């Protein structure tokens, strides 16, 4: 973009919109937008390749506001450059159903690439986006036809760099040489509690140099040309770049600039008037003069950029039609033709083989089968590949100098999960990553963000209960499955055998409106016989696995406890007590079924007993206060799995006794 308007006036437009919107809402963070205004001018007016008329243009640069509390910076940029974000939306900042929420939200505001606010996750999403770009480029680009060729930019603040997840993600970004990742650090020395030197004295440039990054230190963040030159320099590097920009938070505010007072509160009418006078900004609140709009307008340039790319892609399509079609399919998130047939054939094979194996191995078998038709699979594990079994025969490890489809994330569970979200948001890949279920706690906020953003990330968790055995209570998941079920829009699958594992993977893959967890056992589990109708009903989350005429009791179970439920049903039948066994591999999916189906599985009036090797409270949702639950409401112990199940009452005798008590 070429403009003759002074850059200080372009920057002051951001400051004015930020302080006016926060003041009107009486809520928000004006300090960061005011402090990063010149940095935003340098990036968005001189480097950022985007098209406001088409926010989803495939080869656009990605921009992530990791310090998302300063959301008015992003909203001001989107409004000024020509996105469908009119001034009325700016005036409705932080109001119900507006497109200008308190923190940027993907799918709500055009031009927002990811939902940020939980500090550190935005930069981690950006690592995922840059990784996706690098791998797609290696897979699809041809000489002279770079159809995947864009940068990922992120703004970060001190808070992002204090969060531990930033260490995880930025360390991996350095290892993988993500050279098209450029991060601009708002080094203003202020957080909510005041001057950060009392609690944050990292030598940030040296820290990032140690990660293997290119570091550009001590840039004047209020000098547009200095920031511009630094970005040009960053583009020449063969590694990710951190540009350290010294700024004054709330710059332009005569009495509050440089203090924590401007961080997270409206300036007040008196101070806003003083800012206007100090900046020479003579316009009324929410008034932007025509010359400023003209200078910022990116629509014509965006159309030209996308038009040039469309020509390149047309040439690419003519020479490489199969690759072009495949790239478009994957960017749209569409499944390949024949996927359903592949799933059906694989499910049929599990029925034929009747394998008694751990569901973590059943999971790997499903990955192996589905990977044959899903080149978009991008797997990985947090240093537990040999235990989580997320690799497959043809998988290739991703390295700095090697494209592949399996990522060794290292011991970085939170980083892995948020990187996966960034990959999913970028498009072109279907990411999955794994760790032990007990470490889902480390990943939890990234899982929550995946659910909030409705992204297609698949989280694999193995070693799912006290069945883990000798590693003891630190590693034995007790509360984790139930706690994951509390996250809205997260589908959780805990299958009991090879067939349920095959269905769980297929349903998670087919889901387009949110993430899923796939939760598997360490220990071997027996194959369960089913009819074709029962196999079809697995996808409904819960179904009748075993039934009996005139059943007096329903036993509900998931995962490894299905074996116990069926054995207890046999023992009760031997005593003349008819029992129905209900398998509920996904309570989340079951809850979405219609009332008639749910009633057919769990008839009203039939007493219910639930079995799960975890906390009991969740199951009263299904068994009622009058029902019973065989579970564990303490932490585990260190002993072989078989000993533990007996010790904690997961025995046929205990289940039979509980059933008889219910029927007494």
């Amino acid at each position: 973009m070429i403009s003759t308007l002074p850059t200080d006036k372009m920057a002051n437009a951001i400051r004015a919109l930020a302080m006016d919107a926060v003041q009107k809402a009486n809520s928000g963070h004006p300090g960061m937008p005011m402090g990063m205004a010149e940095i935003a001018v340098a990036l968005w007016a001189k480097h950022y390749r985007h098209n406001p008329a088409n926010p989803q243009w495939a080869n656009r640069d990605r921009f992530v506001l990791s310090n998302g509390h300063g959301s008015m910076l992003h909203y001001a940029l989107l409004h000024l450059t020509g996105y469908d974000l009119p001034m009325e939306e700016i005036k409705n900042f932080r109001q119900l159903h507006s497109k200008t929420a308190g923190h940027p939200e993907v799918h709500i505001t055009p031009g927002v690439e990811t939902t940020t606010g939980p500090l550190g996750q935005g930069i981690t999403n950006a690592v995922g986006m840059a990784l996706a770009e690098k791998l797609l480029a290696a897979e699809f680009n041809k000489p002279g036809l770079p159809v995947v060729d864009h940068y990922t930019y992120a703004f970060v603040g001190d808070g992002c760099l204090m969060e531990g997840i930033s260490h995880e993600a930025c360390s991996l970004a350095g290892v993988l040489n993500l050279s098209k990742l450029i991060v601009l650090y708002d080094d203003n020395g202020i957080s909510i509690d005041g001057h950060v030197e009392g609690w944050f004295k990292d030598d940030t440039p040296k820290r990032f140099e140690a990660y293997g990054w290119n570091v550009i230190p001590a840039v004047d963040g209020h000098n547009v040309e200095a920031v511009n030159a630094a970005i040009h320099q960053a583009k020449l590097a063969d590694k990710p770049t951190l540009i350290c920009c010294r700024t004054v938070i709330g710059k332009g505010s005569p009495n509050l600039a440089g203090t924590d007072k401007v961080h997270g509160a409206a300036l007040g009418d008196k101070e806003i008037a003083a800012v206007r006078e100090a900046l020479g900004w003579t316009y009324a609140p929410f008034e932007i003069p025509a010359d400023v709009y003209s200078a910022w307008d990116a629509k014509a340039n965006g159309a030209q950029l996308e038009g040039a790319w469309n020509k390149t892609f047309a040439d690419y399509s003519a020479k490489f039609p199969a690759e072009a079609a495949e790239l478009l399919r994957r960017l749209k998130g569409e499944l390949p033709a024949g996927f359903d047939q592949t799933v059906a054939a694989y499910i049929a094979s599990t029925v034929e083989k009747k394998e008694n194996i751990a569901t973590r191995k059943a999971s790997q078998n499903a990955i192996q089968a589905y990977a044959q038709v899903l080149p978009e699979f991008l797997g990985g594990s947090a240093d537990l590949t040999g235990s989580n079994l997320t690799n497959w025969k043809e998988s290739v490890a991703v390295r700095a100098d090697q494209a592949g489809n399996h990522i060794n994330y290292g011991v970085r569970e939170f980083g892995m999960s948020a990187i996966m979200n960034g990959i999913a948001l970028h498009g072109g890949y279907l990411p999955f990553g794994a760790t032990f279920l007990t470490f889902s706690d480390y990943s939890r906020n990234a899982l929550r963000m995946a659910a909030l953003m409705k992204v297609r990330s698949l989280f694999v968790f193995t070693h799912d209960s006290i069945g883990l055995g000798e590693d003891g209570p630190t590693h034995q998941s007790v509360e984790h499955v139930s706690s994951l079920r509390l996250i809205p829009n997260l589908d959780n699958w805990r299958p009991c055998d090879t067939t349920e594992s095959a269905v769980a993977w297929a349903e998670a893959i087919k889901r387009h409106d949110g993430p899923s967890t796939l939760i598997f056992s360490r220990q071997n589990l027996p194959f369960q016989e089913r009819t074709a109708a029962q196999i079809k009903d697995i996808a409904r989350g819960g179904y009748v696995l075993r039934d009996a005429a005139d059943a007096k009791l329903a036993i509900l179970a998931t995962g490894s406890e299905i074996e116990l439920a069926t054995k207890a049903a046999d023992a009760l039948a031997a005593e003349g007590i008819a029992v129905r066994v209900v398998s509920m591999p996904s309570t989340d999916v079951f809850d979405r079924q219609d009332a008639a189906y749910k009633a057919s599985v769990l008839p009203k009036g039939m007493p219910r007993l639930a079995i799960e090797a975890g906390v009991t409270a969740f199951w009263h949702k299904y068994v009622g206060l009058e029902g019973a639950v065989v579970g564990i409401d303490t932490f585990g112990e260190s002993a072989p799995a078989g000993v533990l199940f007996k010790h904690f009452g997961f025995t046929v005798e205990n289940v039979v006794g509980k059933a008889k008590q219910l029927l007494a």
Side-chain angles (χ1 to χ4, degrees), residues 43-335:
L43 175 61
W44 277 62
K46 297 178 181 292
H47 293 273
Y48 188 48
R49 294 166 58 87
H50 63 124
N51 183 4
N54 182 12
Q56 297 305 310
W57 169 36
N59 201 45
R60 67 194 182 278
D61 288 339
R62 268 55 169 186
F63 172 75
V64 175
L65 190 76
S66 190
N67 41 354
H69 54 273
S71 57
M72 265 311 304
L73 174 70
H74 204 171
Y75 299 148
L77 289 166
L78 294 170
H79 171 75
L80 292 168
T81 56
Y83 284 79
D84 183 18
L85 197 68
M87 187 62 81
E88 284 306 308
E89 293 291 349
I90 303 296
K91 292 178 180 179
N92 285 330
F93 178 55
R94 291 191 164 217
Q95 304 308 301
L96 184 65
H97 302 315
S98 75
K99 293 182 180 180
T100 50
H103 294 84
E105 293 190 35
V106 69
H107 311 312
I108 301 296
T109 311
V112 170
E113 300 285 358
T114 181
T115 300
T116 57
L119 295 177
Q121 286 197 66
I123 174 58
T124 309
N125 294 162
V127 170
M129 293 174 186
L131 177 56
E133 191 276 342
K134 179 174 181 176
L135 294 177
L136 277 177
E139 185 175 353
F140 285 98
N141 286 354
K142 303 294 182 181
L145 294 169
V147 291
V148 180
D149 182 19
H150 58 263
Y151 285 89
T152 299
Y153 299 99
F155 284 0
V156 303
D158 289 312
C160 295
L161 299 186
M162 282 188 258
E163 289 286 358
I165 189 174
S166 71
H167 296 258
E168 297 182 24
C170 295
S171 171
L172 186 60
V175 171
L176 296 178
N177 280 357
L178 301 182
S179 60
K180 296 180 106 172
L181 173 63
I182 298 175
V183 177
L184 294 108
Y185 167 35
D186 178 30
D187 183 12
N188 61 35
I190 295 291
S191 66
I192 290 175
D193 280 357
H195 291 272
V196 300
E197 63 264 20
W199 48 88
F200 183 54
K201 293 185 71 174
D202 295 13
D203 188 328
T204 298
K206 287 184 179 178
R207 169 186 157 190
F208 276 78
E209 287 173 359
Y211 291 153
W213 284 52
N214 173 47
V215 177
I216 304 174
V219 175
D220 181 355
H222 299 302
N223 184 324
V224 171
E225 285 310 314
V227 178
N228 175 38
I231 297 172
H232 277 295
Q233 183 181 341
K235 289 180 174 180
L236 300 175
D238 60 356
K239 55 185 70 174
T241 295
L242 178 74
I243 303 173
C244 300
C245 301
R246 287 295 301 173
T247 64
V248 176
I249 191 170
K251 182 172 175 61
S253 175
N255 302 299
L256 300 177
T259 74
D260 57 285
K261 303 298 183 185
V262 75
H263 186 289
L267 301 183
D269 291 332
K270 183 177 179 180
E271 186 64 14
I272 286 177
V275 173
R276 279 185 155 79
E277 182 177 355
L279 297 179
W281 189 263
T282 59
Y283 310 101
F286 302 106
E287 180 185 347
I288 302 295
D291 60 344
V292 171
Y293 274 127
S294 179
W296 271 114
D297 191 351
K299 294 192 291 294
N301 189 56
Q304 182 179 358
L305 290 170
E306 184 174 356
W309 181 83
N310 287 339
K311 184 180 183 304
T312 299
F313 192 77
D315 294 342
Y316 181 89
S317 299
K319 294 180 180 179
F320 306 100
E323 290 87 344
E326 175 68 6
L327 177 58
L328 289 178
R329 176 190 73 78
R330 286 167 54 174
L331 289 174
K332 292 175 183 176
E334 297 174 350
L335 289 172

Side-chain angles (χ1 to χ4, degrees), residues 187-494:
D187 183 12
N188 61 35
I190 295 291
S191 66
I192 290 175
D193 280 357
H195 291 272
V196 300
E197 63 264 20
W199 48 88
F200 183 54
K201 293 185 71 174
D202 295 13
D203 188 328
T204 298
K206 287 184 179 178
R207 169 186 157 190
F208 276 78
E209 287 173 359
Y211 291 153
W213 284 52
N214 173 47
V215 177
I216 304 174
V219 175
D220 181 355
H222 299 302
N223 184 324
V224 171
E225 285 310 314
V227 178
N228 175 38
I231 297 172
H232 277 295
Q233 183 181 341
K235 289 180 174 180
L236 300 175
D238 60 356
K239 55 185 70 174
T241 295
L242 178 74
I243 303 173
C244 300
C245 301
R246 287 295 301 173
T247 64
V248 176
I249 191 170
K251 182 172 175 61
S253 175
N255 302 299
L256 300 177
T259 74
D260 57 285
K261 303 298 183 185
V262 75
H263 186 289
L267 301 183
D269 291 332
K270 183 177 179 180
E271 186 64 14
I272 286 177
V275 173
R276 279 185 155 79
E277 182 177 355
L279 297 179
W281 189 263
T282 59
Y283 310 101
F286 302 106
E287 180 185 347
I288 302 295
D291 60 344
V292 171
Y293 274 127
S294 179
W296 271 114
D297 191 351
K299 294 192 291 294
N301 189 56
Q304 182 179 358
L305 290 170
E306 184 174 356
W309 181 83
N310 287 339
K311 184 180 183 304
T312 299
F313 192 77
D315 294 342
Y316 181 89
S317 299
K319 294 180 180 179
F320 306 100
E323 290 87 344
E326 175 68 6
L327 177 58
L328 289 178
R329 176 190 73 78
R330 286 167 54 174
L331 289 174
K332 292 175 183 176
E334 297 174 350
L335 289 172
F339 177 72
D340 288 340
Q341 291 88 333
T342 298
V343 170
Y346 177 64
I347 291 173
S349 76
T350 67
V351 175
E352 180 181 350
K353 292 178 180 178
K354 306 183 191 307
E355 293 178 296
N356 298 330
I357 58 177
T359 52
R360 61 173 172 155
K361 179 59 180 175
S363 167
Q364 186 179 44
N365 292 346
I367 293 170
Q368 180 67 48
Y370 299 154
Q372 305 310 306
V373 294
L374 291 173
E376 57 263 50
F377 254 5
L378 184 57
S381 174
D383 202 48
L384 289 167
T385 301
S387 295
N388 300 146
L389 305 181
T390 50
N391 56 343
W392 61 102
K393 291 178 183 177
E394 301 84 4
S395 61
V396 176
V398 173
R399 296 290 184 264
D401 58 352
Q402 174 178 282
N405 51 17
H406 191 273
I407 302 168
N408 298 104
Y409 284 100
V411 188
R412 302 180 177 102
E413 296 89 352
F414 192 8
M416 172 184 71
S417 302
I419 287 170
M420 287 165 52
N421 290 343
I423 292 169
L425 286 161
H426 180 279
Y429 290 104
L430 177 54
F432 61 91
T435 186
F436 288 175
L437 178 58
T438 192
F439 303 131
S440 64
D441 285 338
Y442 288 159
S443 299
R444 188 176 181 88
N445 204 259
L447 270 67
R448 182 178 186 272
M449 294 305 295
L452 177 64
M453 294 188 288
K454 302 180 180 179
V455 298
R456 202 163 157 230
S457 299
L458 308 184
F459 303 97
V460 178
F461 298 120
T462 66
H463 298 61
D464 66 348
S465 69
I466 58 171
L468 172 63
E470 293 86 345
D471 275 340
T474 59
H475 283 53
Q476 290 165 9
S477 306
V478 175
E479 74 277 22
H480 298 78
V481 177
S482 286
S483 70
L484 289 172
R485 291 171 178 145
L486 297 177
I487 299 176
N489 198 44
L490 178 65
D491 281 359
N492 301 279
W493 290 89
R494 187 174 183 244

